[in-house]
């Protein structure tokens, strides 16, 4: 009897000791599958953004990963060719927690050193569930910087996002407390939430909601104020009929400027019983047209003689 108990205890001890190592193996599988899922999503929409794993070093209790996001033709939109992300993940007993750094990007390091006196206000944490679910939290601490002779005070913010295995369901909540520029420009609190389920490449069922408390600017006796912006988008898919309904609503409380005063304005648009295949075909053509235009602009900027 004692031998049986000792054997059981030994098995449990070994299982506990090796759990972080096993979870590290599971994490690597999730990470590499996620890379494939993201690249497939971009490829399906004709976007030449790619996600690449440069290094993956898995140890017993932790892993270190170097990613690279290549922006392709969108580099001229974002102003940078690529973003390098370095992750340090700790293998826990019930999941994996990873912290992400942008320090390998010269443009980011230069910004932090020259504008923020070396103090990085951004933190990124990702949690990998053993079922393949992924959740990320981005925190922004309040900071101030000088630019073009003005002081910009950026307030705190928080973004959370979660996705199911395969990126078929995505939810996110974002909150930013705004900024101030020398008491001349003020942007108040902004929020955005979405909850989407993938039906096809271009059809995502769910809703997106956003709010902006207000924007105001005052200079040389001129005043501008925009307050109470609210909007939402929704799409409902009827699988049996292969139809969908979609709608948008946008409204605001006030817009005032010299010779302009608008109060309580809103607009709503809703389309019901749309053929899902027709909608998908239209979005495919629209996306191809936009992507082609972006690539043409990028090629023209790369080659001024064109």
């Amino acid at each position: 009897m004692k031998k049986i108990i000792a054997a059981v205890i030994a098995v449990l001890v070994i299982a506990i000791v090796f759990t972080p190592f096993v979870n590290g193996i599971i994490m690597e599988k999730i990470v590499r599958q996620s890379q494939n899922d993201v690249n497939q999503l971009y490829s399906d929409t004709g976007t030449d953004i790619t996600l690449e794993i440069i290094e993956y070093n898995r140890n017993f209790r932790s892993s270190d990963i170097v990613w690279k996001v290549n922006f392709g033709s969108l580099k001229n939109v974002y102003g940078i060719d690529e973003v390098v992300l370095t992750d340090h993940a700790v293998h826990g007993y019930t999941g994996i927690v990873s912290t992400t750094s942008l320090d390998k990007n010269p443009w980011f390091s230069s910004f932090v050193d020259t504008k923020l006196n070396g103090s990085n206000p951004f933190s990124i944490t990702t949690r990998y569930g053993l079922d393949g679910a992924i959740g990320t939290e981005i925190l922004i601490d309040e900071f101030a910087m000088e630019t073009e002779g003005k002081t910009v005070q950026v307030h705190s913010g928080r973004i959370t996002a979660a996705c199911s295995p395969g990126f078929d369901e995505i939810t996110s909540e974002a909150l930013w407390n705004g900024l101030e520029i020398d008491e001349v420009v003020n942007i108040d609190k902004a929020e955005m939430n979405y909850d989407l389920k993938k039906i096809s490449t271009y059809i995502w069922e769910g809703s997106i909601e956003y709010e902006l408390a207000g924007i105001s600017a005052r200079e040389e006796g001129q005043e501008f104020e925009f307050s109470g912006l609210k909007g939402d988008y929704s799409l409902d898919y009827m699988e049996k009929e292969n139809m969908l309904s979609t709608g948008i609503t946008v409204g605001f409380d006030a817009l005032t400027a010299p010779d302009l005063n608008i109060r309580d304005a809103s607009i709503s648009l809703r389309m019901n019983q749309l053929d899902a295949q027709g909608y998908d075909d239209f979005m495919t053509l629209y996306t191809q047209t936009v992507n082609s235009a972006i690539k043409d602009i990028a090629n023209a900027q790369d080659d001024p003689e064109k």
Side-chain angles (χ1 to χ4, degrees):
M1 186 67 178
K2 291 182 179 180
K3 290 183 179 180
I4 295 176
I5 295 175
V8 171
I9 293 175
V11 170
L12 291 175
V13 169
I14 292 173
I16 292 172
V17 169
F18 279 89
T19 293
F21 177 74
V22 173
N23 287 349
I25 295 175
I26 295 173
M27 177 195 171
E28 182 172 359
K29 181 180 178 180
I30 294 172
V31 167
R32 294 192 182 278
Q33 183 60 52
S34 299
Q35 177 205 12
N36 293 333
D37 292 338
V38 170
N39 285 334
Q40 187 63 54
L41 184 63
Y42 283 129
S43 176
D44 289 345
T45 57
T47 306
D48 58 355
I49 297 177
T50 57
L51 180 62
E52 182 180 356
I53 297 177
I54 305 300
E55 295 180 16
Y56 200 115
N57 297 314
R58 174 166 49 83
N59 301 306
F60 190 90
R61 293 186 176 274
S62 65
S63 293
D64 293 290
I65 314 163
V66 180
W67 306 76
K68 183 166 69 172
V69 182
N70 300 295
F71 288 112
S73 55
L74 287 176
K75 65 182 180 181
N76 294 303
V77 176
Y78 297 117
I80 52 177
D81 295 341
E82 61 187 33
V83 172
V84 177
L85 307 169
T86 58
D87 277 354
H88 177 71
V90 177
H91 310 155
Y93 289 98
T94 59
I96 300 96
V97 178
S98 174
T99 55
T100 303
S101 170
L102 295 167
D103 292 344
K104 283 187 175 293
N105 300 279
W107 53 268
F108 180 78
S109 298
S110 175
F111 170 75
V112 171
D113 291 340
T114 59
K115 295 293 186 179
L116 306 180
N117 296 319
S119 178
N120 180 8
F122 304 98
S123 65
I124 306 172
T125 304
T126 301
R127 291 173 171 80
Y128 296 88
L130 300 181
D131 60 349
I134 301 174
T136 296
E137 180 182 61
I138 302 174
L139 297 177
I140 306 172
D141 294 333
E142 186 165 333
F143 65 90
M145 63 181 183
E146 299 292 326
T147 179
E148 298 182 357
K150 297 183 182 297
T151 300
V152 180
Q153 187 75 33
V154 180
H155 298 304
S156 61
R158 179 175 181 264
I159 301 172
T160 61
C163 62
S164 64
F167 289 82
D168 292 330
E169 296 183 23
I170 302 175
T171 61
S172 178
E173 296 180 359
L175 169 65
W176 179 44
N177 290 308
L179 63 77
E180 299 168 6
I181 304 177
D182 277 353
E183 299 183 353
V184 174
V185 176
N186 185 75
I187 300 177
D188 293 325
K189 184 174 70 172
E191 296 182 69
M192 183 174 183
N193 304 311
Y194 61 81
D195 187 347
L196 301 172
K197 178 182 179 181
K198 184 180 179 181
I199 305 299
S200 70
T201 299
Y202 296 105
I203 300 177
W204 290 76
E205 185 177 37
S207 62
I208 301 174
E209 300 175 345
Y210 56 89
E211 295 183 16
L212 174 62
I215 302 176
S216 61
R218 299 171 180 82
E219 192 170 13
E220 298 179 356
Q222 303 275 336
E223 292 190 7
F224 168 85
E225 185 172 351
F226 180 56
S227 63
L229 172 67
K230 291 184 178 181
D232 64 73
Y233 161 85
S234 64
L235 187 148
D236 301 308
Y237 175 68
M238 292 152 280
E239 183 178 5
K240 184 177 180 180
E241 298 84 0
N242 197 31
M243 307 285 282
L244 60 85
S245 298
T246 183
I248 60 170
T249 301
V250 180
F252 58 87
D253 294 339
L255 173 59
T256 59
D259 303 320
L260 181 65
N261 189 348
I262 302 175
R263 302 283 176 178
D264 299 323
S266 65
I267 183 172
S268 296
L269 173 65
R270 185 160 185 85
M271 295 177 286
N272 297 318
Q273 302 297 315
L274 294 175
D275 177 65
Q277 186 59 55
Y279 178 87
D280 200 272
D281 292 341
F282 169 77
M283 290 302 300
T284 299
L285 178 61
Y286 173 80
T287 304
Q288 289 174 347
T289 303
V290 171
N291 288 336
S292 178
I294 291 174
K295 290 177 182 178
D296 289 343
I297 294 172
N299 291 334
Q301 291 181 344
D302 289 337
D303 186 357
E305 294 183 0
K306 291 185 177 181

